[in-house]
Amino acid sequence: MIPDDADAARTAAEAFAQRFGQQPEGVWAAPGRVNVIGEHTDYNGGFVLPVALPHTTRAAVARRDDGLLVLASAQHPGDDAEVAVVDLEPGRPGGWAGYPAGVVHALAEQVPGGLTVLVDGNVPAGAGLSSSAALSCSVALAVRDLLDLDLDGDALIDVARRAENDFVGAPTGVLDQSASVLCTAGHALFLDTRDGAREQVPLDLAAAGLALLVMDTGTTHDHAEGGYRDRRRECEQAARRLGVELLREVDDVAALAPLADGTEDGEVLLRRARHVVTEDARVLEVVATLRGDADPRAIGPVLTAGHESLRDDFQISVPLIDVCVEAALAAGAHGARMVGGGFGGSVLALVEAGAADDVTAAVTERFAAEQHPAPRTFVVVPSAGARRLA
Ligand code: GLA
């Protein structure tokens, strides 16, 4: 059950009061995201099409005057952090506290008095659904509002991204933070990550009798971050060899031919680049379908093609994720694909609204045959971006 905004605000404020013996000055929320299509395009200057989840992280916050940053999380009881704002440095504190600390570090000059922060949330962690962006964006918005900082949405995205890249050391692109800040209810966010151009594309699949089903497979792999870094590096290498700054500048797979120089390395770079170039085209195709009067079922095969490209060209899927996609398709899903950074996490399937339970049951059965626990599933209603709750 997802609490409504009023309940979520009350619970976070109560937890703050219980922990710190005072009321917070406000409560802010930021959502996780699922990307409809456009995976591993963001750091190549390409297109993405995320929706915000109804799941959020809430930050209850109050200002201090002793220069300390005091952090507590309802999800990590006993794992509080307390550090002087002037002493913050990348990697310290680590763990969950690194995300809010990274935000405050990025704004340190504007937060001399310090802050007390309690976070509470329900974005599934380690599921490729951007729980970390929800955390950093909720705190960034809170700091902006409480201290009346002159930061627009793009500046907030930048602060949250710097927290993750520079403080936590996670080499993400800009997809997750942009989705968390910019998405609006009832829409997918069509974002051009090269110039920031954006469009809110209406996404009312329920009206067409459809649903977007998220299945968290419960797999995460240790090499996820290393694998992500490798892919980024390979994309940069491919761009260099093609003489472009970003793979986004290539809009035809035929232009990738020079990468195939007969070496194994060349073959790998060709695959990586082919994923990015075809994925950008898939985003444009899905957006064109959603903008027009075409039956949205038509995006199903495009999602599945996106999965095949991530599996075969980008090579970031894992067997259980492939099993999940195959079982969903065999049970009647119109399309299915892995989402997020790869090497585990969640699968997104486009299904008939009445078929979500059947698809979940079919995947659960296949997982049981592999001795794997049932996936956690939910239907996504495109929800609001970061906001103040109280
Ligand atoms: C992770 C990163 C994003 C993006 C996706 C893949 O979620 O944080 O920036 O690169 O992987 O699309």
Side-chain angles (χ1 to χ4, degrees):
M1 269 296 286
I2 308 240
D4 66 23
D5 279 5
D7 275 349
R10 197 171 326 111
T11 308
E14 278 169 13
F16 186 101
Q18 205 169 25
R19 174 67 186 74
F20 297 114
Q22 65 172 107
Q23 288 299 318
E25 291 182 84
V27 181
W28 291 260
R33 62 97 189 95
V34 67
N35 199 11
V36 177
I37 190 80
E39 223 66 90
H40 288 268
T41 50
D42 62 348
Y43 52 83
N44 290 297
F47 303 111
V48 293
L49 189 70
V51 297
L53 301 181
H55 308 69
T56 59
T57 295
R58 281 78 68 174
V61 185
R63 285 169 289 182
R64 308 175 64 94
D65 55 18
D66 58 2
L68 289 181
L69 175 64
V70 179
L71 300 167
S73 160
Q75 279 66 51
H76 299 90
D79 191 12
D80 297 2
E82 186 175 308
V83 55
V85 172
V86 292
D87 290 340
L88 288 170
E89 56 179 88
R92 281 199 299 168
W96 75 270
Y99 296 88
V103 166
V104 173
H105 182 247
L107 296 169
E109 281 172 19
Q110 282 117 303
V111 196
L115 293 170
T116 305
V117 180
L118 179 133
V119 295
D120 181 20
N122 57 6
V123 184
L129 301 173
S130 290
S131 60
S132 46
L135 176 54
S136 40
C137 290
S138 65
V139 174
L141 186 66
V143 176
R144 196 262 318 258
D145 284 1
L146 260 187
L147 301 175
D148 206 13
L149 306 181
D150 186 17
L151 299 172
D152 63 8
D154 289 301
L156 279 180
I157 291 164
D158 191 54
V159 164
R161 196 187 49 75
R162 276 160 49 208
E164 297 200 32
N165 292 175
D166 304 343
F167 197 91
V168 176
T172 68
V174 81
L175 162 66
D176 309 341
Q177 301 81 7
S178 302
S180 191
V181 170
L182 299 174
C183 278
T184 57
H187 298 88
L189 171 73
F190 174 35
L191 178 71
D192 180 340
T193 63
R194 184 167 61 177
D195 62 8
R198 63 203 62 161
E199 175 187 335
Q200 302 287 346
V201 181
L203 187 66
D204 184 3
L205 292 172
L210 292 168
L212 278 177
L213 178 67
V214 172
M215 294 175 275
D216 172 7
T217 65
T219 44
T220 37
H221 285 252
D222 293 346
H223 58 280
E225 193 175 308
Y228 187 92
R229 269 181 214 283
D230 290 346
R231 294 303 176 275
R232 278 197 78 143
R233 209 191 43 243
E234 288 160 355
C235 288
E236 282 159 17
Q237 267 171 6
R240 247 193 327 272
R241 286 205 196 165
L242 292 166
V244 294
E245 199 186 325
L246 294 163
L247 286 179
R248 153 66 185 281
E249 288 155 47
V250 182
D251 52 15
D252 181 359
V253 286
L256 301 175
L259 291 173
D261 59 1
T263 67
E264 233 172 81
D265 273 9
E267 178 60 26
V268 167
L269 296 187
L270 171 65
R271 284 169 181 247
R272 306 302 185 247
R274 190 164 56 202
H275 165 71
V276 174
V277 171
T278 58
E279 186 79 350
D280 273 334
R282 281 185 286 273
V283 178
L284 298 179
E285 189 179 346
V286 168
V287 168
T289 302
L290 294 177
R291 274 195 200 125
D293 329 313
D295 183 345
R297 285 167 186 78
I299 71 175
V302 188
L303 303 192
T304 305
H307 181 72
E308 288 161 358
S309 177
L310 289 165
R311 183 192 63 199
D312 301 338
D313 274 347
F314 222 58
Q315 297 181 297
I316 57 167
S317 190
V318 292
L320 191 74
I321 292 277
D322 294 337
V323 164
C324 185
V325 167
E326 281 157 26
L329 292 172
H334 296 292
R337 66 178 204 84
M338 55 147 285
V339 295
F343 307 99
S346 298
V347 164
L348 176 69
L350 179 69
V351 300
E352 291 296 316
D357 289 347
D358 293 345
V359 171
T360 299
V363 172
T364 301
E365 200 177 309
R366 282 288 298 276
F367 276 25
E370 313 248 335
Q371 263 83 55
H372 198 276
R376 299 206 309 173
T377 65
F378 59 92
V379 166
V380 184
V381 180
S383 299
R387 58 203 181 270
R388 185 170 193 159
L389 299 186

